[in-house]
Protein backbone atom coordinates (compact mmCIF):
# COMPACT_ATOMS: atom_id res chain seq x y z
CA UNK A 1 0.00 0.00 0.00
CA UNK A 2 2.83 2.41 0.81
CA UNK A 3 4.38 1.72 -2.60
CA UNK A 4 1.22 2.95 -4.35
CA UNK A 5 1.41 6.26 -2.43
CA UNK A 6 5.09 6.51 -3.32
CA UNK A 7 4.30 6.29 -7.05
CA UNK A 8 1.42 8.77 -6.73
CA UNK A 9 3.84 11.30 -5.27
CA UNK A 10 6.49 10.57 -7.91
CA UNK A 11 3.99 11.26 -10.70
CA UNK A 12 3.45 14.77 -9.29
CA UNK A 13 7.17 15.66 -9.45
CA UNK A 14 7.28 16.33 -13.24
CA UNK A 15 4.44 18.83 -12.92
CA UNK A 16 6.39 20.81 -10.33
CA UNK A 17 9.86 20.90 -11.96
CA UNK A 18 11.14 21.94 -15.38
CA UNK A 19 14.54 21.51 -16.96
CA UNK A 20 17.11 23.30 -19.10
CA UNK A 21 16.11 25.05 -22.30
CA UNK A 22 18.03 23.34 -25.10
CA UNK A 23 16.22 22.79 -28.37
CA UNK A 24 15.31 19.25 -29.42
CA UNK A 25 14.57 17.82 -32.86
CA UNK A 26 11.42 18.64 -34.77
CA UNK A 27 8.42 16.35 -35.24
CA UNK A 28 8.95 12.89 -36.63
CA UNK A 29 10.04 9.35 -35.86
CA UNK A 30 12.55 8.13 -33.31
CA UNK A 31 13.59 4.71 -32.02
CA UNK A 32 14.04 3.93 -28.33
CA UNK A 33 15.74 0.73 -27.09
CA UNK A 34 15.36 0.00 -23.38
CA UNK A 35 15.96 -2.57 -20.65
CA UNK A 36 13.82 -2.94 -17.56
CA UNK A 37 13.78 -4.70 -14.24
CA UNK A 38 10.59 -4.97 -12.20
CA UNK A 39 10.05 -6.38 -8.74
CA UNK A 40 6.59 -7.93 -8.24
CA UNK A 41 4.99 -7.01 -4.95
CA UNK A 42 1.42 -8.28 -5.35
CA UNK A 43 0.70 -11.74 -6.76
CA UNK A 44 -2.91 -12.88 -6.86
CA UNK A 45 -2.31 -16.56 -6.17
CA UNK A 46 -4.75 -18.82 -4.26
CA UNK A 47 -3.62 -19.44 -0.68
CA UNK A 48 -3.48 -23.25 -1.04
CA UNK A 49 -0.49 -22.82 -3.38
CA UNK A 50 2.03 -21.55 -0.86
CA UNK A 51 5.10 -22.60 -2.83
CA UNK A 52 4.24 -20.07 -5.57
CA UNK A 53 3.52 -17.36 -2.97
CA UNK A 54 6.88 -17.99 -1.31
CA UNK A 55 8.85 -17.80 -4.54
CA UNK A 56 7.03 -14.64 -5.58
CA UNK A 57 8.98 -12.71 -2.94
CA UNK A 58 12.17 -13.58 -4.85
CA UNK A 59 10.75 -12.96 -8.33
CA UNK A 60 12.04 -10.43 -10.83
CA UNK A 61 10.82 -9.44 -14.26
CA UNK A 62 13.66 -8.72 -16.67
CA UNK A 63 13.09 -7.47 -20.18
CA UNK A 64 14.13 -5.51 -23.22
CA UNK A 65 11.98 -3.58 -25.64
CA UNK A 66 12.14 -1.53 -28.78
CA UNK A 67 9.83 1.51 -29.05
CA UNK A 68 8.97 3.30 -32.26
CA UNK A 69 7.97 6.87 -31.36
CA UNK A 70 6.19 9.37 -33.57
CA UNK A 71 6.42 12.91 -32.18
CA UNK A 72 3.37 15.01 -33.03
CA UNK A 73 5.10 17.96 -31.37
CA UNK A 74 8.33 18.47 -29.47
CA UNK A 75 6.59 17.35 -26.26
CA UNK A 76 4.11 14.61 -27.24
CA UNK A 77 4.60 11.26 -29.00
CA UNK A 78 2.64 8.13 -29.81
CA UNK A 79 4.58 4.91 -29.25
CA UNK A 80 4.39 1.30 -30.41
CA UNK A 81 6.63 -1.31 -28.81
CA UNK A 82 7.50 -4.96 -28.55
CA UNK A 83 10.24 -6.91 -26.83
CA UNK A 84 10.98 -9.88 -24.62
CA UNK A 85 10.36 -10.28 -20.89
CA UNK A 86 10.89 -13.10 -18.42
CA UNK A 87 9.84 -13.82 -14.84
CA UNK A 88 12.43 -15.91 -13.01
CA UNK A 89 10.15 -17.51 -10.35
CA UNK A 90 7.95 -19.17 -11.56
CA UNK A 91 9.63 -19.30 -14.97
CA UNK A 92 7.47 -17.55 -17.60
CA UNK A 93 8.71 -16.00 -20.86
CA UNK A 94 6.47 -13.77 -22.95
CA UNK A 95 6.46 -11.07 -25.63
CA UNK A 96 4.79 -7.79 -24.63
CA UNK A 97 3.10 -5.79 -27.41
CA UNK A 98 2.00 -2.29 -26.44
CA UNK A 99 0.91 1.05 -27.76
CA UNK A 100 1.02 4.23 -25.78
CA UNK A 101 1.95 7.85 -25.36
CA UNK A 102 5.05 9.68 -24.18
CA UNK A 103 4.87 13.20 -22.84
CA UNK A 104 8.01 15.30 -22.37
CA UNK A 105 7.28 18.18 -20.02
CA UNK A 106 9.01 20.85 -22.05
CA UNK A 107 10.61 20.96 -25.47
CA UNK A 108 14.17 20.37 -24.35
CA UNK A 109 16.64 17.56 -24.70
CA UNK A 110 17.04 17.31 -20.95
CA UNK A 111 13.63 17.10 -19.39
CA UNK A 112 11.25 15.13 -17.21
CA UNK A 113 8.99 12.71 -19.06
CA UNK A 114 6.02 10.47 -18.45
CA UNK A 115 4.93 7.42 -20.39
CA UNK A 116 1.83 5.25 -20.57
CA UNK A 117 1.80 1.87 -22.35
CA UNK A 118 -1.19 -0.43 -22.78
CA UNK A 119 -1.25 -3.79 -24.53
CA UNK A 120 -0.89 -7.48 -23.92
CA UNK A 121 1.26 -10.63 -24.08
CA UNK A 122 2.09 -13.28 -26.62
CA UNK A 123 4.47 -16.22 -26.30
CA UNK A 124 4.45 -18.98 -23.67
CA UNK A 125 1.10 -18.02 -22.13
CA UNK A 126 -2.34 -19.62 -22.58
CA UNK A 127 -4.13 -16.49 -23.78
CA UNK A 128 -3.66 -12.79 -24.44
CA UNK A 129 -3.43 -10.95 -21.10
CA UNK A 130 -3.63 -7.24 -20.38
CA UNK A 131 -0.46 -5.21 -19.72
CA UNK A 132 -0.52 -1.67 -18.30
CA UNK A 133 2.71 0.17 -17.64
CA UNK A 134 3.15 3.74 -16.35
CA UNK A 135 6.51 5.46 -16.02
CA UNK A 136 7.96 8.76 -14.93
CA UNK A 137 11.56 9.70 -15.51
CA UNK A 138 14.22 12.01 -16.84
CA UNK A 139 15.97 12.09 -20.19
CA UNK A 140 19.35 13.62 -20.98
CA UNK A 141 21.88 13.97 -23.80
CA UNK A 142 24.71 11.45 -24.15
CA UNK A 143 25.77 12.48 -27.68
CA UNK A 144 24.67 15.02 -30.28
CA UNK A 145 21.46 13.25 -31.44
CA UNK A 146 21.35 10.43 -28.90
CA UNK A 147 19.29 10.73 -25.74
CA UNK A 148 19.24 8.45 -22.71
CA UNK A 149 16.41 8.13 -20.23
CA UNK A 150 15.80 6.66 -16.81
CA UNK A 151 12.23 5.88 -15.69
CA UNK A 152 10.58 4.57 -12.56
CA UNK A 153 7.82 2.17 -13.65
CA UNK A 154 4.62 0.72 -12.28
CA UNK A 155 3.25 -2.34 -14.07
CA UNK A 156 0.04 -4.34 -13.84
CA UNK A 157 -0.30 -7.44 -15.99
CA UNK A 158 -2.48 -10.50 -16.35
CA UNK A 159 -0.37 -13.48 -17.33
CA UNK A 160 -2.42 -16.59 -18.03
CA UNK A 161 -0.28 -19.63 -17.35
CA UNK A 162 -1.32 -23.00 -15.90
CA UNK A 163 1.02 -24.85 -13.56
CA UNK A 164 0.56 -28.52 -12.67
CA UNK A 165 1.54 -29.55 -9.16
CA UNK A 166 2.89 -32.98 -8.16
CA UNK A 167 -0.58 -34.29 -7.24
CA UNK A 168 -1.93 -33.27 -10.72
CA UNK A 169 -3.80 -30.21 -9.45
CA UNK A 170 -3.74 -27.27 -11.82
CA UNK A 171 -3.42 -23.62 -10.95
CA UNK A 172 -3.76 -20.49 -13.04
CA UNK A 173 -1.26 -17.72 -12.40
CA UNK A 174 -2.04 -14.11 -13.21
CA UNK A 175 -2.54 -10.52 -11.95
CA UNK A 176 0.96 -9.33 -11.16
CA UNK A 177 1.61 -5.83 -9.87
CA UNK A 178 5.21 -4.73 -9.90
CA UNK A 179 7.44 -1.68 -9.65
CA UNK A 180 10.95 -1.04 -10.87
CA UNK A 181 12.92 0.97 -13.36
CA UNK A 182 13.73 1.20 -17.05
CA UNK A 183 16.77 2.65 -18.81
CA UNK A 184 16.88 3.42 -22.51
CA UNK A 185 18.60 5.11 -25.42
CA UNK A 186 16.64 7.14 -27.98
CA UNK A 187 17.91 8.02 -31.45
Amino acid sequence: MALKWFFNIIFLIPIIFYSQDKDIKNKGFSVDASALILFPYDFSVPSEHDEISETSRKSKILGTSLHLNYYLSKCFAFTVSSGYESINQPKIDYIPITGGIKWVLNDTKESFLTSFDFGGHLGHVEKFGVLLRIGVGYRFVIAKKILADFELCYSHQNLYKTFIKQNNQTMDYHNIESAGFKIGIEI
Side-chain angles (χ1 to χ4, degrees):
M1 183 62 132
L3 195 56
K4 288 182 183 179
W5 282 105
F6 174 73
F7 276 102
N8 288 335
I9 291 169
I10 285 177
F11 286 122
L12 293 176
I13 291 173
I15 297 170
I16 298 169
F17 295 104
Y18 290 135
S19 300
Q20 297 86 6
D21 49 331
K22 297 177 186 171
D23 194 26
I24 192 169
K25 67 177 193 138
N26 292 327
K27 304 175 191 177
F29 286 98
S30 73
V31 177
D32 186 356
S34 61
L36 74 105
I37 182 167
L38 298 171
F39 301 97
Y41 63 87
D42 186 11
F43 280 70
S44 296
V45 177
S47 61
E48 67 265 14
H49 303 289
D50 290 334
E51 72 281 354
I52 299 295
S53 298
E54 289 171 8
T55 60
S56 71
R57 293 185 201 108
K58 300 174 187 171
S59 292
K60 291 185 282 239
I61 299 173
L62 300 171
T64 60
S65 63
L66 191 63
H67 293 259
L68 178 62
N69 305 316
Y70 180 74
Y71 282 90
L72 295 173
S73 70
K74 294 180 181 181
C75 298
F76 187 78
F78 286 112
T79 66
V80 176
S81 71
S82 183
Y84 173 81
E85 293 182 8
S86 176
I87 300 175
N88 65 337
Q89 290 185 10
K91 183 71 172 150
I92 304 174
D93 298 326
Y94 56 91
I95 299 168
I97 298 174
T98 63
I101 57 173
K102 180 190 272 189
W103 180 45
V104 181
L105 285 198
N106 53 13
D107 58 350
T108 65
K109 289 182 180 178
E110 298 182 2
S111 177
F112 285 101
L113 65 95
T114 58
S115 65
F116 174 80
D117 292 314
F118 184 74
H121 311 96
L122 297 174
H124 299 141
V125 291
E126 269 88 43
K127 60 182 179 177
F128 194 76
V130 175
L131 169 67
L132 169 71
R133 197 161 283 155
I134 301 169
V136 63
Y138 187 77
R139 75 176 187 186
F140 51 92
V141 178
I142 57 175
K144 195 174 210 180
K145 296 203 176 211
I146 300 174
L147 304 173
D149 60 65
F150 177 82
E151 286 185 58
L152 297 175
C153 295
Y154 163 80
S155 178
H156 176 83
Q157 48 195 334
N158 296 330
L159 280 172
Y160 294 101
K161 181 80 172 175
T162 301
F163 293 94
I164 300 173
K165 293 180 61 174
Q166 293 173 353
N167 55 4
N168 290 331
Q169 292 178 336
T170 63
M171 175 189 64
D172 287 333
Y173 176 82
H174 57 283
N175 292 335
I176 303 168
E177 288 191 51
S178 54
F181 59 89
K182 176 172 77 167
I183 56 173
I185 295 176
E186 184 174 351
I187 300 172

PDB file of all heavy atoms in Angstrom, residues 13-40:
ATOM      1  N   ILE A  13       5.890  14.947  -9.335  1.00  0.00           N
ATOM      2  CA  ILE A  13       7.168  15.661  -9.450  1.00  0.00           C
ATOM      3  C   ILE A  13       7.349  16.322 -10.809  1.00  0.00           C
ATOM      4  O   ILE A  13       7.743  17.483 -10.870  1.00  0.00           O
ATOM      5  CB  ILE A  13       8.347  14.725  -9.106  1.00  0.00           C
ATOM      6  CG1 ILE A  13       8.307  14.392  -7.615  1.00  0.00           C
ATOM      7  CG2 ILE A  13       9.679  15.358  -9.475  1.00  0.00           C
ATOM      8  CD1 ILE A  13       9.308  13.345  -7.196  1.00  0.00           C
ATOM      9  N   PRO A  14       7.063  15.652 -11.951  1.00  0.00           N
ATOM     10  CA  PRO A  14       7.277  16.325 -13.236  1.00  0.00           C
ATOM     11  C   PRO A  14       6.429  17.582 -13.418  1.00  0.00           C
ATOM     12  O   PRO A  14       6.819  18.490 -14.139  1.00  0.00           O
ATOM     13  CB  PRO A  14       6.885  15.270 -14.265  1.00  0.00           C
ATOM     14  CG  PRO A  14       7.046  13.988 -13.571  1.00  0.00           C
ATOM     15  CD  PRO A  14       6.722  14.248 -12.135  1.00  0.00           C
ATOM     16  N   ILE A  15       5.292  17.643 -12.798  1.00  0.00           N
ATOM     17  CA  ILE A  15       4.445  18.833 -12.916  1.00  0.00           C
ATOM     18  C   ILE A  15       5.071  20.007 -12.190  1.00  0.00           C
ATOM     19  O   ILE A  15       4.939  21.156 -12.605  1.00  0.00           O
ATOM     20  CB  ILE A  15       3.033  18.512 -12.366  1.00  0.00           C
ATOM     21  CG1 ILE A  15       2.407  17.412 -13.230  1.00  0.00           C
ATOM     22  CG2 ILE A  15       2.158  19.749 -12.323  1.00  0.00           C
ATOM     23  CD1 ILE A  15       1.147  16.833 -12.674  1.00  0.00           C
ATOM     24  N   ILE A  16       5.809  19.744 -11.150  1.00  0.00           N
ATOM     25  CA  ILE A  16       6.390  20.808 -10.332  1.00  0.00           C
ATOM     26  C   ILE A  16       7.683  21.352 -10.922  1.00  0.00           C
ATOM     27  O   ILE A  16       7.942  22.548 -10.893  1.00  0.00           O
ATOM     28  CB  ILE A  16       6.630  20.267  -8.901  1.00  0.00           C
ATOM     29  CG1 ILE A  16       5.294  19.859  -8.274  1.00  0.00           C
ATOM     30  CG2 ILE A  16       7.322  21.301  -8.047  1.00  0.00           C
ATOM     31  CD1 ILE A  16       5.433  19.080  -6.993  1.00  0.00           C
ATOM     32  N   PHE A  17       8.521  20.492 -11.497  1.00  0.00           N
ATOM     33  CA  PHE A  17       9.855  20.896 -11.955  1.00  0.00           C
ATOM     34  C   PHE A  17       9.949  20.995 -13.468  1.00  0.00           C
ATOM     35  O   PHE A  17       9.288  20.255 -14.183  1.00  0.00           O
ATOM     36  CB  PHE A  17      10.902  19.883 -11.476  1.00  0.00           C
ATOM     37  CG  PHE A  17      11.043  19.857 -10.003  1.00  0.00           C
ATOM     38  CD1 PHE A  17      10.497  18.817  -9.276  1.00  0.00           C
ATOM     39  CD2 PHE A  17      11.711  20.851  -9.330  1.00  0.00           C
ATOM     40  CE1 PHE A  17      10.615  18.774  -7.910  1.00  0.00           C
ATOM     41  CE2 PHE A  17      11.843  20.823  -7.971  1.00  0.00           C
ATOM     42  CZ  PHE A  17      11.291  19.778  -7.252  1.00  0.00           C
ATOM     43  N   TYR A  18      10.794  21.858 -13.961  1.00  0.00           N
ATOM     44  CA  TYR A  18      11.140  21.935 -15.377  1.00  0.00           C
ATOM     45  C   TYR A  18      12.650  21.886 -15.507  1.00  0.00           C
ATOM     46  O   TYR A  18      13.379  22.050 -14.546  1.00  0.00           O
ATOM     47  CB  TYR A  18      10.605  23.209 -16.027  1.00  0.00           C
ATOM     48  CG  TYR A  18       9.120  23.216 -16.163  1.00  0.00           C
ATOM     49  CD1 TYR A  18       8.391  24.344 -15.831  1.00  0.00           C
ATOM     50  CD2 TYR A  18       8.444  22.095 -16.599  1.00  0.00           C
ATOM     51  CE1 TYR A  18       7.013  24.346 -15.950  1.00  0.00           C
ATOM     52  CE2 TYR A  18       7.073  22.100 -16.720  1.00  0.00           C
ATOM     53  CZ  TYR A  18       6.364  23.222 -16.399  1.00  0.00           C
ATOM     54  OH  TYR A  18       5.020  23.212 -16.511  1.00  0.00           O
ATOM     55  N   SER A  19      13.117  21.718 -16.739  1.00  0.00           N
ATOM     56  CA  SER A  19      14.543  21.510 -16.964  1.00  0.00           C
ATOM     57  C   SER A  19      15.168  22.636 -17.750  1.00  0.00           C
ATOM     58  O   SER A  19      14.597  23.705 -17.904  1.00  0.00           O
ATOM     59  CB  SER A  19      14.729  20.209 -17.716  1.00  0.00           C
ATOM     60  OG  SER A  19      14.208  19.161 -16.955  1.00  0.00           O
ATOM     61  N   GLN A  20      16.367  22.335 -18.312  1.00  0.00           N
ATOM     62  CA  GLN A  20      17.106  23.303 -19.101  1.00  0.00           C
ATOM     63  C   GLN A  20      16.355  23.615 -20.394  1.00  0.00           C
ATOM     64  O   GLN A  20      15.452  22.902 -20.782  1.00  0.00           O
ATOM     65  CB  GLN A  20      18.492  22.738 -19.444  1.00  0.00           C
ATOM     66  CG  GLN A  20      19.346  22.477 -18.245  1.00  0.00           C
ATOM     67  CD  GLN A  20      19.085  21.108 -17.644  1.00  0.00           C
ATOM     68  OE1 GLN A  20      18.343  20.322 -18.189  1.00  0.00           O
ATOM     69  NE2 GLN A  20      19.690  20.851 -16.518  1.00  0.00           N
ATOM     70  N   ASP A  21      16.789  24.666 -21.066  1.00  0.00           N
ATOM     71  CA  ASP A  21      16.110  25.053 -22.299  1.00  0.00           C
ATOM     72  C   ASP A  21      17.027  24.902 -23.509  1.00  0.00           C
ATOM     73  O   ASP A  21      17.475  25.858 -24.096  1.00  0.00           O
ATOM     74  CB  ASP A  21      15.567  26.475 -22.205  1.00  0.00           C
ATOM     75  CG  ASP A  21      16.601  27.447 -21.704  1.00  0.00           C
ATOM     76  OD1 ASP A  21      17.481  27.035 -20.953  1.00  0.00           O
ATOM     77  OD2 ASP A  21      16.527  28.632 -22.077  1.00  0.00           O
ATOM     78  N   LYS A  22      17.296  23.651 -23.881  1.00  0.00           N
ATOM     79  CA  LYS A  22      18.031  23.339 -25.105  1.00  0.00           C
ATOM     80  C   LYS A  22      17.018  22.801 -26.112  1.00  0.00           C
ATOM     81  O   LYS A  22      16.137  22.038 -25.761  1.00  0.00           O
ATOM     82  CB  LYS A  22      19.101  22.278 -24.841  1.00  0.00           C
ATOM     83  CG  LYS A  22      20.155  22.722 -23.864  1.00  0.00           C
ATOM     84  CD  LYS A  22      21.106  21.592 -23.607  1.00  0.00           C
ATOM     85  CE  LYS A  22      22.084  21.963 -22.511  1.00  0.00           C
ATOM     86  NZ  LYS A  22      22.881  20.840 -22.085  1.00  0.00           N
ATOM     87  N   ASP A  23      17.181  23.184 -27.352  1.00  0.00           N
ATOM     88  CA  ASP A  23      16.219  22.794 -28.373  1.00  0.00           C
ATOM     89  C   ASP A  23      16.393  21.323 -28.746  1.00  0.00           C
ATOM     90  O   ASP A  23      17.495  20.815 -28.815  1.00  0.00           O
ATOM     91  CB  ASP A  23      16.418  23.681 -29.605  1.00  0.00           C
ATOM     92  CG  ASP A  23      15.262  23.559 -30.558  1.00  0.00           C
ATOM     93  OD1 ASP A  23      14.159  23.224 -30.090  1.00  0.00           O
ATOM     94  OD2 ASP A  23      15.465  23.803 -31.753  1.00  0.00           O
ATOM     95  N   ILE A  24      15.293  20.651 -28.986  1.00  0.00           N
ATOM     96  CA  ILE A  24      15.314  19.249 -29.417  1.00  0.00           C
ATOM     97  C   ILE A  24      14.863  19.167 -30.873  1.00  0.00           C
ATOM     98  O   ILE A  24      14.430  20.152 -31.446  1.00  0.00           O
ATOM     99  CB  ILE A  24      14.410  18.392 -28.510  1.00  0.00           C
ATOM    100  CG1 ILE A  24      14.660  16.915 -28.761  1.00  0.00           C
ATOM    101  CG2 ILE A  24      12.951  18.697 -28.727  1.00  0.00           C
ATOM    102  CD1 ILE A  24      14.018  16.011 -27.759  1.00  0.00           C
ATOM    103  N   LYS A  25      14.927  17.982 -31.449  1.00  0.00           N
ATOM    104  CA  LYS A  25      14.569  17.815 -32.859  1.00  0.00           C
ATOM    105  C   LYS A  25      13.106  18.133 -33.109  1.00  0.00           C
ATOM    106  O   LYS A  25      12.286  18.169 -32.206  1.00  0.00           O
ATOM    107  CB  LYS A  25      14.858  16.394 -33.290  1.00  0.00           C
ATOM    108  CG  LYS A  25      13.982  15.373 -32.618  1.00  0.00           C
ATOM    109  CD  LYS A  25      14.288  14.017 -33.158  1.00  0.00           C
ATOM    110  CE  LYS A  25      13.191  13.100 -32.696  1.00  0.00           C
ATOM    111  NZ  LYS A  25      12.743  12.209 -33.682  1.00  0.00           N
ATOM    112  N   ASN A  26      12.791  18.350 -34.378  1.00  0.00           N
ATOM    113  CA  ASN A  26      11.416  18.640 -34.767  1.00  0.00           C
ATOM    114  C   ASN A  26      10.583  17.379 -34.736  1.00  0.00           C
ATOM    115  O   ASN A  26      11.034  16.318 -34.349  1.00  0.00           O
ATOM    116  CB  ASN A  26      11.395  19.256 -36.167  1.00  0.00           C
ATOM    117  CG  ASN A  26      12.013  20.625 -36.160  1.00  0.00           C
ATOM    118  OD1 ASN A  26      11.895  21.343 -35.176  1.00  0.00           O
ATOM    119  ND2 ASN A  26      12.665  20.984 -37.239  1.00  0.00           N
ATOM    120  N   LYS A  27       9.343  17.481 -35.190  1.00  0.00           N
ATOM    121  CA  LYS A  27       8.424  16.351 -35.236  1.00  0.00           C
ATOM    122  C   LYS A  27       8.993  15.220 -36.084  1.00  0.00           C
ATOM    123  O   LYS A  27       9.809  15.433 -36.955  1.00  0.00           O
ATOM    124  CB  LYS A  27       7.103  16.805 -35.849  1.00  0.00           C
ATOM    125  CG  LYS A  27       6.451  17.957 -35.162  1.00  0.00           C
ATOM    126  CD  LYS A  27       5.240  18.368 -35.945  1.00  0.00           C
ATOM    127  CE  LYS A  27       4.717  19.689 -35.447  1.00  0.00           C
ATOM    128  NZ  LYS A  27       3.594  20.164 -36.221  1.00  0.00           N
ATOM    129  N   GLY A  28       8.526  14.016 -35.813  1.00  0.00           N
ATOM    130  CA  GLY A  28       8.949  12.888 -36.626  1.00  0.00           C
ATOM    131  C   GLY A  28       9.171  11.626 -35.824  1.00  0.00           C
ATOM    132  O   GLY A  28       8.781  11.525 -34.661  1.00  0.00           O
ATOM    133  N   PHE A  29       9.821  10.657 -36.464  1.00  0.00           N
ATOM    134  CA  PHE A  29      10.036   9.347 -35.859  1.00  0.00           C
ATOM    135  C   PHE A  29      11.338   9.294 -35.071  1.00  0.00           C
ATOM    136  O   PHE A  29      12.309   9.963 -35.401  1.00  0.00           O
ATOM    137  CB  PHE A  29      10.092   8.271 -36.948  1.00  0.00           C
ATOM    138  CG  PHE A  29       8.762   7.948 -37.549  1.00  0.00           C
ATOM    139  CD1 PHE A  29       8.381   8.515 -38.754  1.00  0.00           C
ATOM    140  CD2 PHE A  29       7.888   7.102 -36.893  1.00  0.00           C
ATOM    141  CE1 PHE A  29       7.157   8.222 -39.314  1.00  0.00           C
ATOM    142  CE2 PHE A  29       6.654   6.800 -37.443  1.00  0.00           C
ATOM    143  CZ  PHE A  29       6.286   7.370 -38.656  1.00  0.00           C
ATOM    144  N   SER A  30      11.330   8.464 -34.031  1.00  0.00           N
ATOM    145  CA  SER A  30      12.551   8.127 -33.311  1.00  0.00           C
ATOM    146  C   SER A  30      12.417   6.688 -32.825  1.00  0.00           C
ATOM    147  O   SER A  30      11.326   6.143 -32.739  1.00  0.00           O
ATOM    148  CB  SER A  30      12.796   9.071 -32.134  1.00  0.00           C
ATOM    149  OG  SER A  30      11.901   8.802 -31.091  1.00  0.00           O
ATOM    150  N   VAL A  31      13.554   6.084 -32.508  1.00  0.00           N
ATOM    151  CA  VAL A  31      13.589   4.712 -32.017  1.00  0.00           C
ATOM    152  C   VAL A  31      14.201   4.731 -30.619  1.00  0.00           C
ATOM    153  O   VAL A  31      15.195   5.405 -30.376  1.00  0.00           O
ATOM    154  CB  VAL A  31      14.425   3.818 -32.955  1.00  0.00           C
ATOM    155  CG1 VAL A  31      14.530   2.405 -32.403  1.00  0.00           C
ATOM    156  CG2 VAL A  31      13.823   3.804 -34.348  1.00  0.00           C
ATOM    157  N   ASP A  32      13.604   3.978 -29.717  1.00  0.00           N
ATOM    158  CA  ASP A  32      14.038   3.929 -28.328  1.00  0.00           C
ATOM    159  C   ASP A  32      14.238   2.467 -27.938  1.00  0.00           C
ATOM    160  O   ASP A  32      13.300   1.676 -28.004  1.00  0.00           O
ATOM    161  CB  ASP A  32      12.968   4.585 -27.449  1.00  0.00           C
ATOM    162  CG  ASP A  32      13.372   4.734 -26.009  1.00  0.00           C
ATOM    163  OD1 ASP A  32      14.454   4.271 -25.624  1.00  0.00           O
ATOM    164  OD2 ASP A  32      12.584   5.330 -25.246  1.00  0.00           O
ATOM    165  N   ALA A  33      15.447   2.080 -27.578  1.00  0.00           N
ATOM    166  CA  ALA A  33      15.741   0.733 -27.088  1.00  0.00           C
ATOM    167  C   ALA A  33      15.920   0.822 -25.573  1.00  0.00           C
ATOM    168  O   ALA A  33      16.602   1.716 -25.082  1.00  0.00           O
ATOM    169  CB  ALA A  33      17.006   0.190 -27.730  1.00  0.00           C
ATOM    170  N   SER A  34      15.288  -0.095 -24.839  1.00  0.00           N
ATOM    171  CA  SER A  34      15.360   0.000 -23.380  1.00  0.00           C
ATOM    172  C   SER A  34      15.435  -1.377 -22.736  1.00  0.00           C
ATOM    173  O   SER A  34      15.093  -2.393 -23.329  1.00  0.00           O
ATOM    174  CB  SER A  34      14.148   0.758 -22.838  1.00  0.00           C
ATOM    175  OG  SER A  34      12.961   0.082 -23.155  1.00  0.00           O
ATOM    176  N   ALA A  35      15.910  -1.373 -21.502  1.00  0.00           N
ATOM    177  CA  ALA A  35      15.962  -2.567 -20.654  1.00  0.00           C
ATOM    178  C   ALA A  35      15.238  -2.231 -19.363  1.00  0.00           C
ATOM    179  O   ALA A  35      15.291  -1.089 -18.891  1.00  0.00           O
ATOM    180  CB  ALA A  35      17.404  -2.957 -20.368  1.00  0.00           C
ATOM    181  N   LEU A  36      14.542  -3.213 -18.792  1.00  0.00           N
ATOM    182  CA  LEU A  36      13.821  -2.940 -17.558  1.00  0.00           C
ATOM    183  C   LEU A  36      13.977  -4.079 -16.573  1.00  0.00           C
ATOM    184  O   LEU A  36      14.218  -5.220 -16.947  1.00  0.00           O
ATOM    185  CB  LEU A  36      12.344  -2.662 -17.830  1.00  0.00           C
ATOM    186  CG  LEU A  36      11.434  -3.817 -18.197  1.00  0.00           C
ATOM    187  CD1 LEU A  36      10.566  -4.145 -17.001  1.00  0.00           C
ATOM    188  CD2 LEU A  36      10.542  -3.412 -19.341  1.00  0.00           C
ATOM    189  N   ILE A  37      13.838  -3.720 -15.319  1.00  0.00           N
ATOM    190  CA  ILE A  37      13.778  -4.697 -14.238  1.00  0.00           C
ATOM    191  C   ILE A  37      12.642  -4.270 -13.322  1.00  0.00           C
ATOM    192  O   ILE A  37      12.547  -3.105 -12.931  1.00  0.00           O
ATOM    193  CB  ILE A  37      15.121  -4.826 -13.474  1.00  0.00           C
ATOM    194  CG1 ILE A  37      15.010  -5.899 -12.401  1.00  0.00           C
ATOM    195  CG2 ILE A  37      15.553  -3.506 -12.883  1.00  0.00           C
ATOM    196  CD1 ILE A  37      16.322  -6.328 -11.797  1.00  0.00           C
ATOM    197  N   LEU A  38      11.749  -5.219 -13.053  1.00  0.00           N
ATOM    198  CA  LEU A  38      10.592  -4.969 -12.202  1.00  0.00           C
ATOM    199  C   LEU A  38      10.594  -5.973 -11.061  1.00  0.00           C
ATOM    200  O   LEU A  38      10.982  -7.124 -11.230  1.00  0.00           O
ATOM    201  CB  LEU A  38       9.293  -5.097 -13.005  1.00  0.00           C
ATOM    202  CG  LEU A  38       9.101  -4.133 -14.161  1.00  0.00           C
ATOM    203  CD1 LEU A  38       7.882  -4.532 -14.977  1.00  0.00           C
ATOM    204  CD2 LEU A  38       8.963  -2.712 -13.664  1.00  0.00           C
ATOM    205  N   PHE A  39      10.125  -5.530  -9.921  1.00  0.00           N
ATOM    206  CA  PHE A  39      10.049  -6.375  -8.738  1.00  0.00           C
ATOM    207  C   PHE A  39       8.583  -6.532  -8.346  1.00  0.00           C
ATOM    208  O   PHE A  39       7.973  -5.590  -7.854  1.00  0.00           O
ATOM    209  CB  PHE A  39      10.849  -5.757  -7.591  1.00  0.00           C
ATOM    210  CG  PHE A  39      12.294  -5.557  -7.933  1.00  0.00           C
ATOM    211  CD1 PHE A  39      12.753  -4.324  -8.372  1.00  0.00           C
ATOM    212  CD2 PHE A  39      13.185  -6.601  -7.843  1.00  0.00           C
ATOM    213  CE1 PHE A  39      14.084  -4.132  -8.702  1.00  0.00           C
ATOM    214  CE2 PHE A  39      14.521  -6.428  -8.171  1.00  0.00           C
ATOM    215  CZ  PHE A  39      14.968  -5.192  -8.600  1.00  0.00           C
ATOM    216  N   PRO A  40       7.997  -7.717  -8.584  1.00  0.00           N
ATOM    217  CA  PRO A  40       6.591  -7.926  -8.239  1.00  0.00           C
ATOM    218  C   PRO A  40       6.379  -7.817  -6.733  1.00  0.00           C
ATOM    219  O   PRO A  40       7.172  -8.314  -5.942  1.00  0.00           O
ATOM    220  CB  PRO A  40       6.312  -9.351  -8.717  1.00  0.00           C
ATOM    221  CG  PRO A  40       7.339  -9.594  -9.763  1.00  0.00           C
ATOM    222  CD  PRO A  40       8.554  -8.851  -9.307  1.00  0.00           C
TER     223      PRO A  40
END
